[in-house]
């Protein structure tokens, strides 16, 4: 765990690269300013802001942003420490649970949770998935302590739901396990329900304020559940859970009746629930599928890994020549975790480079109309640039009237290899066509294609708009008549 922390600090994330992270961090800054909505707040509304009850609010639940808030007091980059904390805390909880379920198991097996690719990747983000998984693990640990600790189990699971509403699928599962596993069943189940109440009340209150009702939520921006997606999703997640740790999907079925029930119910509940969801991360490579593709199943992953290491520990003890197998497996997974961190660091450095290019090319007072990839480079935490996306969900957004009301307007398009959106490209080219006197500001080809143009105002003939970083922004020109006279 110490080595993991050292590699994390050496390869400390310089910036984030997921548009959801922008929304979470901006929501954190909103809460830090003392506001719950972006109306009349000093924080501009970011990506995925909704208005369902007459207020501009984030579409995301508030739990993750509340958790991130203390880390912002050491600077906005301090939020990445939260991921390291969650990865280490989750590993320690994993170790404590393993000791309860199989006291003679070697603690070294716990590192297979820390080095699981999805845990490694999302420990380097400010996404809500790892926080949700860690709180579910904490709830499960309290459940194993039985009786009076059932209140803590309910409280931890309530916060997990406050972070991601989908964790509510685990409420009846853990409630059933409390009844089955506790000696004082009525008292334990009552304490569990009481523990759920504070965050259930917070969720209902926030939803009423933000979305217009205790059970209202902008699900239309997230996805939907349907039988139609079940075959596709089931096959997608089944492959992922069978490949990296071989046959891990079936491990809860071979660890005994009691342990199989304790681990299998929450693991399969999350697995089956998300097999009905409309959105999965369809990515080209196996590496991306085992990292980004597993984010929704992160609350289920610890239970599958627990069952897998219990089965593997028993097998290695019966087969003495394989007793040192755990060190080979853990060592290989640690090397893989460093590779994942390094690869992600390289990606983030490129992202940070383009963020710097954008901020040096577009002045603070300007409006930039852009695609989603450029909007990901803008955040209130490191300095605001007013922007409007010209395409959302592959649908054009009319911006002509908005452009005409602003004095200084830029247009930008960022295209990453293999992620070209022809809708975005078409809308961008159409926008440039409407302003034939536009001036190029910046163009790059490698590793990403970045194109920035000044749409208005148009400089005088003897003024130039820079095509490299550091060029001063163009000054506003006088009238066209004076221009010709000059």
């Amino acid at each position: 765990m110490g080595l993991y922390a050292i590699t994390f600090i050496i390869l400390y994330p310089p910036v984030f690269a997921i548009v959801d992270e922008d929304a979470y961090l901006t929501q954190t800054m909103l809460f830090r300013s003392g506001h719950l909505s972006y109306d009349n707040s000093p924080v501009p509304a970011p990506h995925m802001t909704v208005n369902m009850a007459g207020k501009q609010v984030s579409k995301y639940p508030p739990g993750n942003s509340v958790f991130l808030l203390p880390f912002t007091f050491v600077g906005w980059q301090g939020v990445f420490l939260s991921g390291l904390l969650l990865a280490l805390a989750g590993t320690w909880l994993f170790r404590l649970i393993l000791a309860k379920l199989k006291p003679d198991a070697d603690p070294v097996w716990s590192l297979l949770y820390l080095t699981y690719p999805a845990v490694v990747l999302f420990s380097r983000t400010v996404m809500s998935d790892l926080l949700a998984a860690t709180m579910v693990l904490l709830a499960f640990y309290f459940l194993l302590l039985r009786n009076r600790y059932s209140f803590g189990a309910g409280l931890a699971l309530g916060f997990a739901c406050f972070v991601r509403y989908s964790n509510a699928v685990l409420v009846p599962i853990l409630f059933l396990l409390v009844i089955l596993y506790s000696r004082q069943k009525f008292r334990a189940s009552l304490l569990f329900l009481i523990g759920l109440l504070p965050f259930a009340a917070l969720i209902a209150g926030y939803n009423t304020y933000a979305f217009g009702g205790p059970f209202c939520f902008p699900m239309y921006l997230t996805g939907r559940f349907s039988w139609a997606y079940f075959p596709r999703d089931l096959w997608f997640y089944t492959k992922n859970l069978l490949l990296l740790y071989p046959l891990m999907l079936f491990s809860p079925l071979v660890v005994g009746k009691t342990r199989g029930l304790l681990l299998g119910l929450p693991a399969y509940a999350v697995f089956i629930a998300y097999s009905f969801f409309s959105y999965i991360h369809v990515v080209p490579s196996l590496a991306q599928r085992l990292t980004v593709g597993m984010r929704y199943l992160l609350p289920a992953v610890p239970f599958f890994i627990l069952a897998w290491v219990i089965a593997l520990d028993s097998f290695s003890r019966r087969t003495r020549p394989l007793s040192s197998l755990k060190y080979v497996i853990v060592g290989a997974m640690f090397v893989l975790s460093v590779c994942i961190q390094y690869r992600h660091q390289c990606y983030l450095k490129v992202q940070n480079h383009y963020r710097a290019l954008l901020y040096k090319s577009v002045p603070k007072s300007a409006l930039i109309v852009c695609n989603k990839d450029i909007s990901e480079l803008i955040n209130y935490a490191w300095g605001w640039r007013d922007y409007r996306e010209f395409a959302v969900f592959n649908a054009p957004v009319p911006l002509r009237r908005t452009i005409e009301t602003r004095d200084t307007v830029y247009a930008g398009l960022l295209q990453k290899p293999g992620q070209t959106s022809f809708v975005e490209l078409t809308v961008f080219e159409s926008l440039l066509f409407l302003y034939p006197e536009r001036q190029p500001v910046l163009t790059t080809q490698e590793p990403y294609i970045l194109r920035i143009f000044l749409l208005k105002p148009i400089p005088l003939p003897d003024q130039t708009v820079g095509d490299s970083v550091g060029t001063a922004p163009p000054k506003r020109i006088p009238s066209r008549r004076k221009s010709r006279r000059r």
Side-chain angles (χ1 to χ4, degrees):
M1 289 170 68
L3 287 173
Y4 184 89
I6 291 171
T7 59
F8 187 97
I9 297 300
I10 292 173
L11 300 170
Y12 195 83
V15 72
F16 52 73
I18 305 174
V19 71
D20 293 1
E21 294 179 272
D22 166 67
Y24 283 124
L25 180 56
T26 308
Q27 190 181 37
T28 298
M29 304 306 290
L30 175 70
F31 293 160
R32 182 173 165 176
S33 73
H35 294 77
L36 291 178
S37 74
Y38 292 103
D39 301 290
N40 302 317
S41 79
V43 182
H47 168 77
M48 287 302 186
T49 299
V50 298
N51 190 334
M52 295 174 59
K55 305 178 187 70
Q56 290 190 91
V57 295
S58 173
K59 86 164 186 107
Y60 298 98
N64 187 45
S65 297
V66 171
F67 173 75
L68 293 174
L69 201 153
F71 297 94
T72 63
F73 289 101
V74 296
W76 70 265
Q77 287 180 307
V79 294
F80 295 112
L81 290 172
S82 66
L84 175 61
L85 175 65
L86 290 172
L88 297 179
T91 305
W92 185 247
L93 284 169
F94 189 101
R95 166 54 194 125
L96 295 175
I97 293 169
L98 182 62
K100 294 287 291 183
L101 295 177
K102 196 175 189 299
D104 61 338
D106 195 322
V108 76
W109 289 116
S110 306
L111 296 175
L112 292 182
Y113 173 76
L114 179 63
T115 55
Y116 189 76
V119 173
V120 174
L121 177 66
F122 286 98
S123 71
R124 298 174 52 80
T125 73
V126 292
M127 298 290 283
S128 62
D129 308 273
L130 189 57
L131 174 59
T134 306
M135 296 312 299
V136 168
L137 262 181
L138 180 60
F140 187 74
Y141 175 65
F142 281 134
L143 184 150
L144 293 182
L145 295 179
R146 302 184 183 186
N147 300 330
R148 67 180 183 274
Y149 292 98
S150 297
F151 175 80
L155 198 65
L157 184 58
F159 185 70
C161 295
F162 192 51
V163 171
R164 288 189 70 87
Y165 291 166
S166 58
N167 287 318
V169 71
L170 291 171
V171 171
I173 300 298
L174 264 64
F175 180 68
L176 176 62
L177 291 180
V178 166
I179 295 175
L180 294 176
Y181 196 67
S182 300
R183 295 188 180 93
Q184 301 174 334
K185 300 184 185 304
F186 177 78
R187 181 171 181 267
S189 58
L190 183 62
L191 286 173
F192 178 78
L193 293 176
I194 293 173
L196 284 172
L197 282 178
F199 286 107
L202 276 175
I203 291 170
Y206 180 81
N207 284 354
T208 301
Y209 170 83
F211 309 126
F215 301 105
C216 293
F217 180 71
M219 193 67 185
Y220 65 93
L221 288 175
T222 301
R224 60 193 182 96
F225 290 88
S226 171
W227 283 98
Y229 308 113
F230 185 76
R232 178 201 66 177
D233 293 1
L234 183 68
W235 177 237
F236 178 82
Y237 289 123
T238 296
K239 288 187 296 183
N240 291 354
L241 289 169
L242 290 176
L243 286 174
L244 185 65
Y245 293 164
L247 304 179
M248 186 175 71
L249 175 63
F250 306 116
S251 56
L253 305 178
V254 297
V255 291
K257 183 178 179 180
T258 301
R259 288 185 297 213
L261 193 67
L262 284 168
L263 299 174
L265 281 178
Y268 291 126
V270 176
F271 170 71
I272 293 173
Y274 270 107
S275 293
F276 292 96
F277 194 49
S278 60
Y279 183 76
I280 58 173
H281 291 273
V282 180
V283 286
S285 70
L286 176 63
Q288 290 176 303
R289 200 168 75 224
L290 293 174
T291 50
V292 181
M294 290 298 291
R295 58 168 290 214
Y296 290 139
L297 260 60
L298 266 179
V301 161
F303 300 102
F304 282 118
I305 299 179
L306 275 163
W308 194 72
V309 301
I310 288 172
L312 206 59
D313 184 77
S314 300
F315 177 74
S316 64
R317 288 175 183 274
R318 290 195 300 267
T319 312
R320 190 167 296 275
L322 298 178
S323 58
S324 59
L325 179 66
K326 54 182 172 287
Y327 300 109
V328 176
I329 297 174
V330 170
M333 291 305 299
F334 178 75
V335 172
L336 178 61
S337 76
V338 176
C339 293
I340 293 171
Q341 292 186 74
Y342 177 76
R343 177 68 184 88
H344 189 237
Q345 182 74 353
C346 293
Y347 179 76
L348 293 182
K349 282 186 175 181
V350 174
Q351 188 83 355
N352 202 32
H353 170 69
Y354 279 93
R355 177 176 72 101
L357 287 179
L358 176 69
Y359 272 68
K360 290 179 180 179
S361 302
V362 179
K364 292 181 180 180
S365 59
L367 168 71
I368 179 168
V369 291
C370 58
N371 66 330
K372 176 181 66 69
D373 291 302
I374 282 187
S375 70
E376 291 178 2
L377 304 174
I378 301 171
N379 190 276
Y380 171 79
W382 54 70
W384 186 246
R385 295 294 187 275
D386 195 10
Y387 72 89
R388 300 290 188 276
E389 292 185 12
F390 51 66
V392 176
F393 294 122
N394 273 334
V397 176
L399 293 175
R400 187 70 183 271
R401 184 174 299 179
T402 302
I403 293 172
E404 294 302 323
T405 61
R406 300 295 291 265
D407 292 332
T408 307
V409 182
Y410 289 73
L413 178 72
L414 180 65
Q415 297 172 285
K416 298 178 181 179
Q419 300 181 24
T420 300
S421 167
F422 292 103
V423 172
E424 290 181 351
L425 183 59
T426 302
V427 175
F428 181 71
E429 295 294 347
S430 301
L431 186 63
L432 296 183
F433 179 78
L434 293 174
Y435 294 88
E437 295 183 341
R438 66 189 179 273
Q439 294 292 324
V441 175
L442 177 68
T443 300
T444 66
Q445 296 294 330
E446 294 291 342
Y448 303 156
I449 298 174
L450 174 62
R451 300 164 64 194
I452 298 178
F453 288 83
L454 175 66
L455 299 186
K456 54 180 293 195
I458 301 302
L460 290 169
D462 61 342
Q463 292 178 314
T464 57
V465 181
D467 58 357
S468 61
V469 176
T471 302
K475 299 178 181 179
R476 189 176 182 186
I477 61 170
S479 69
R480 189 180 297 274
R481 180 178 300 173
K482 291 181 180 179
S483 239
R484 284 198 291 265
R485 186 181 307 153
R486 182 173 176 182

